[in-house]
Amino acid sequence: MNPKLLLLAVLLLAVHAPAAAELSIQITQGVDDPIPIAVVPFATDGAVFGAEDVAEIVSSDLEQVGEFLALGRENLLSMPSEESEVFFRDWQLLAQDYLLVGKVSGVQGSQVVRVQYEFFDVNRELRLVGEVLAGNVSQMRDIGHEIANVVYEQVTGTRGAFTSQILYVVAEPAADGTRFRLEKADYDGQRPQVLLRSREPIMSPNWSPDGSEVAYVSFETDRPRIYIQDIASGQRRQITNYPGINSSPVFSPDGDRLAMVLSRDGSPDIYVQDLRSNELMRVTDHPAIDTEPSWTPDGRSIVFMSDRTGQPQIYQIELGASSFDVERLTYDCFQCAKARFLPDGVNLIHVRRETRQSPSYQIAIINIETLRVITLTDTSLDESPSLAPNGSMIMYATKYQGRGVLDAVSIDGLVKFRLPSAEGDVREPAWSPFLD
Amino acid sequence: MGTQSNTIIKASLLAFTLTLFAACSSTEDAEPPAEVVDNTPAPADTSGADDDPGPTVEELERERQLAQRVFYFDFDVAEFKAEDRETLTTHAQNLAANANLRIRLEGHADERGTREYNLALGERRANGILNYLIVNGASRGQIEVVSYGEERPEQAGQTEAAYAENRRVEIVDQ
């Protein structure tokens, strides 16, 4: 066949290709020049029943973060499942930079599956990875996400976050009042699980750094109180019962302490509780509102929001310092709130309202040394930003068609996607640390 | 909770209106609805007006004020509105006169701004009313303040009208 003709045919077919991306996720914005990758459907031997399509999970993962474009299945020229069947020239003709092939095999009468995969650099005609993963047939999504992690790291040099999870709160209207749920799901919103149900509000879920526990605020006693729940067992304990607001729990980077907000002394201030001794330390002392604590990456200081100058701005205080020894970090916004540092300790993610006249709340990053601001979102009620464990994306809550939804944006602002949501308002995403 | 107290307000307002119309029925009122008259016990048409004076205008006003349980706030403002001052004074006097009475002040915010800040704003609003009630005779032990921030909106939606309904403090009997 004439190669030029073939290429033309491929280009024509490619017009229909984007449909594949709409299966589970909505990519609302991608990079201009994504990396082309061919993910061939994995061969299966007859013994595997009910298993999910691993190749589809991998290509969805890679496309969701926007840096990759998976070749549409209708454009495949061949269906190799192992290295001996790969002819690099085919994939070079299709202008693919990378190729993933594999096969799934089961053991008769057992739930165990073996997934063998191989990953190739098409231009260098080189196998980069070859591996066999084994698991239960119910773990196919985990296996797919794990393969996506490997591919992502091979190509970008950054660890993949496809096996990470998210926590979020759902508020669902019912005939006799709103029902609240704390849920956990895969990072892409799949496989949701309910961790807590309540007829009273639930707020501010926060992961322990080892991913085993969640701290949150529950109004189940008709008052906001802080709880810590073991995610696997569901066992939980109430951490605070002070008069007034008990809120905004955030684990320290070492997991030994919990920063929080208490208004027991008149107005909301930042406190830190040692989780082993239960000793409580007051960090700020000001009659204005101090709230939304987060830890600096070294665990020595707390970043928080205060309206002590009239409107919310972001401040930092070193633990153990005098409450007068507060450093103000933002000046150039009407309101800046809900801040936390990226791991570099210089760039600060926050929620920003630029001016009093423009009542939009957006997710932004400010470099506190150069004061350069990058606004990442363009919707108007964006809040609760949470960083992926590999630092590549920020998930946040916004409103879409009057309902609360979760969106994600890459930290350069180029890639955006929206999680599918069922009924109700979804809010307050908390992206897990690396869980493996 | 909010809906319930609204219902209570409406019911009390209706009752008040009925009584008021009854009290005024001897004067030339423009359009007293027929059912109002029907439902009302015989007004002070009988001879001894001095024996059974009925509720005074002041008492009726006091009743109306105590029936107001929701107080609305302007955007990003923690102080209650000047027009609610007299009503809150009446609530304070009522608490002072009834030492066994216990109430909760539930503070709320609209959804603009971050959730934790709104939780604090709801408390600040409720505290403003708390302090006013104490200054006017209520005792601290009678009142609990709880903020719900933006978590329990009265109205859904992203309109100014919904936001105005949601920025509120509710008085809830314990």
Side-chain angles (χ1 to χ4, degrees):
Chain A
M1 196 175 185
N2 182 330
K4 268 189 181 163
L5 270 182
L6 178 66
L7 196 59
L8 186 63
V10 168
L11 286 173
L12 288 172
L13 286 166
V15 173
H16 302 285
E22 294 172 9
L23 286 177
S24 60
I25 44 143
Q26 286 174 280
I27 297 156
T28 49
Q29 186 181 317
V31 296
D32 290 339
D33 195 14
I35 298 162
I37 180 170
V39 180
V40 180
F42 284 20
T44 50
D45 77 18
V48 183
F49 295 104
E52 291 196 62
D53 185 338
V54 183
E56 175 59 34
I57 295 166
V58 177
S59 52
S60 291
D61 277 346
L62 295 173
E63 288 203 322
Q64 184 144 353
V65 294
E67 292 154 274
F68 294 86
L69 179 63
L71 181 67
R73 286 187 174 178
E74 66 276 20
N75 298 335
L76 295 172
L77 298 177
S78 56
M79 303 269 275
S81 65
E82 59 180 49
E83 185 168 22
S84 65
E85 297 166 3
V86 170
F87 297 98
F88 287 110
R89 211 174 62 108
D90 290 354
W91 306 101
Q92 288 160 358
L93 277 173
L94 289 165
Q96 299 301 299
D97 287 355
Y98 296 95
L99 169 67
L100 180 73
V101 305
K103 54 174 122 183
V104 180
S105 52
V107 180
Q108 199 83 45
S110 134
Q111 290 289 300
V112 176
V113 288
R114 287 172 76 254
V115 179
Q116 173 190 309
Y117 72 94
E118 293 171 283
F119 184 55
F120 303 93
D121 181 324
V122 170
N123 297 317
R124 290 157 67 204
E125 304 194 357
L126 187 67
R127 192 180 87 152
L128 300 172
V129 187
E131 208 178 1
V132 177
L133 301 172
N136 190 285
V137 70
S138 67
Q139 293 174 301
M140 291 304 264
R141 292 201 75 84
D142 299 306
I143 291 170
H145 290 321
E146 180 53 41
I147 295 170
N149 278 345
V150 171
V151 168
Y152 184 83
E153 183 160 1
Q154 283 289 327
V155 175
T156 67
T158 302
R159 192 172 170 187
F162 301 110
T163 45
S164 61
Q165 299 183 319
I166 51 171
L167 296 165
Y168 50 91
V169 175
V170 184
E172 200 170 333
D176 55 346
T178 306
R179 300 303 165 90
F180 298 87
R181 298 193 301 273
L182 175 63
E183 292 190 359
K184 180 187 76 137
D186 290 357
Y187 90 97
D188 55 2
Q190 299 292 314
R191 298 192 289 186
Q193 277 177 270
V194 178
L195 301 185
L196 182 72
R197 290 175 200 278
S198 180
R199 302 183 70 139
E200 297 296 329
I202 300 168
M203 290 179 73
S204 308
N206 181 262
W207 292 85
S208 66
D210 67 359
S212 70
E213 293 180 316
V214 50
Y216 54 81
V217 175
S218 167
F219 283 72
E220 65 198 62
T221 60
D222 285 335
R223 300 168 178 92
R225 297 293 179 257
I226 295 170
Y227 300 78
I228 291 180
Q229 180 166 329
D230 183 90
I231 291 174
S233 71
Q235 281 196 328
R236 62 191 202 128
R237 57 192 199 273
Q238 187 173 343
I239 298 298
T240 63
N241 190 22
Y242 299 104
I245 289 173
N246 300 194
S247 74
S248 229
V250 186
F251 284 98
S252 60
D254 62 11
D256 292 340
R257 290 161 295 165
L258 196 67
M260 62 183 69
V261 173
L262 304 174
S263 66
R264 60 172 202 167
D265 296 313
S267 66
D269 279 306
I270 311 294
Y271 291 75
V272 168
Q273 181 162 330
D274 187 306
L275 289 171
R276 292 164 302 182
S277 68
N278 287 331
E279 191 189 338
L280 188 68
M281 177 171 89
R282 185 169 186 168
V283 179
T284 69
D285 184 353
H286 195 282
I289 292 169
D290 293 346
T291 187
E292 298 171 352
S294 70
W295 297 80
T296 54
D298 64 9
R300 289 185 182 168
S301 300
I302 299 275
V303 171
F304 63 99
M305 183 229 92
S306 176
D307 68 355
R308 56 186 64 192
T309 57
Q311 291 293 336
Q313 294 290 338
I314 297 160
Y315 299 78
Q316 182 172 338
I317 185 168
E318 199 175 314
L319 290 179
S322 148
S323 64
F324 297 105
D325 223 352
V326 166
E327 185 187 357
R328 181 169 170 179
L329 301 183
T330 56
Y331 291 91
D332 66 327
C333 42
F334 175 61
Q335 294 185 348
C336 276
K338 195 68 181 175
R340 74 154 267 188
F341 273 113
L342 290 175
D344 62 16
V346 177
N347 285 291
L348 196 68
I349 305 169
H350 62 287
V351 175
R352 161 178 289 257
R353 176 173 169 182
E354 210 64 60
T355 62
R356 180 181 276 278
Q357 291 72 31
S358 65
S360 285
Y361 296 86
Q362 290 162 336
I363 311 301
I365 295 178
I366 183 169
N367 180 309
I368 61 156
E369 285 172 2
T370 65
L371 300 181
R372 193 165 90 100
V373 175
I374 305 171
T375 302
L376 302 177
T377 63
D378 49 18
T379 32
S380 64
L381 285 168
D382 307 338
E383 62 179 359
S384 308
S386 177
L387 186 67
N390 66 358
S392 65
M393 298 200 90
I394 295 167
M395 197 172 289
Y396 59 98
T398 187
K399 282 284 194 304
Y400 178 67
Q401 295 178 342
R403 276 177 53 202
V405 294
L406 303 185
D407 277 13
V409 59
S410 59
I411 56 157
D412 56 12
L414 292 177
V415 178
K416 289 193 177 85
F417 69 83
R418 170 164 301 146
L419 268 71
S421 77
E423 286 305 298
D425 275 307
V426 189
R427 62 193 46 174
E428 296 203 87
W431 209 321
S432 75
F434 285 116
L435 296 172
D436 33 51
Chain B
M1 173 180 320
T3 319
Q4 197 186 341
S5 40
N6 265 354
T7 317
I8 292 167
I9 291 164
K10 280 170 195 153
S12 315
L13 278 176
L14 183 63
F16 162 69
T17 318
L18 295 176
T19 344
L20 191 64
F21 277 137
C24 300
S25 62
S26 58
T27 67
E28 314 299 320
D29 209 303
E31 53 215 307
E35 68 269 25
V36 169
V37 178
D38 289 347
N39 288 345
T40 316
D45 170 48
T46 47
S47 55
D50 288 344
D51 310 347
D52 184 16
T56 63
V57 173
E58 288 74 21
E59 281 166 349
L60 290 170
E61 177 60 8
R62 188 174 164 278
E63 213 171 287
R64 186 194 66 79
Q65 288 178 337
L66 289 180
Q68 184 184 338
R69 294 306 183 103
V70 188
F71 301 87
Y72 297 97
F73 291 71
D74 289 327
F75 174 64
D76 210 14
V77 167
E79 290 77 35
F80 59 82
K81 294 178 179 174
E83 68 216 44
D84 288 327
R85 182 174 297 270
E86 263 181 63
T87 302
L88 288 167
T89 308
T90 305
H91 276 280
Q93 289 163 351
N94 187 50
L95 286 163
N98 299 281
N100 293 329
L101 210 55
R102 297 281 182 277
I103 61 165
R104 267 161 74 99
L105 294 172
E106 298 184 344
H108 300 268
D110 71 37
E111 68 179 2
R112 289 172 294 178
T114 55
R115 288 179 178 275
E116 292 286 351
Y117 185 50
N118 282 330
L119 188 67
L121 274 185
E123 186 184 69
R124 187 184 268 172
R125 285 175 178 148
N127 277 338
I129 292 186
L130 167 79
N131 292 334
Y132 186 79
L133 295 179
I134 291 173
V135 165
N136 286 281
S139 86
R140 180 67 186 87
Q142 289 179 284
I143 308 166
E144 180 181 14
V145 163
V146 178
S147 176
Y148 284 91
E150 63 175 280
E151 309 301 318
R152 283 226 177 263
E154 183 65 44
Q155 287 289 329
Q158 282 75 48
T159 62
E160 282 301 329
Y163 290 156
E165 289 263 296
N166 293 336
R167 290 187 303 267
R168 68 201 193 277
V169 171
E170 297 186 14
I171 295 181
V172 178
D173 283 332
Q174 287 282 64

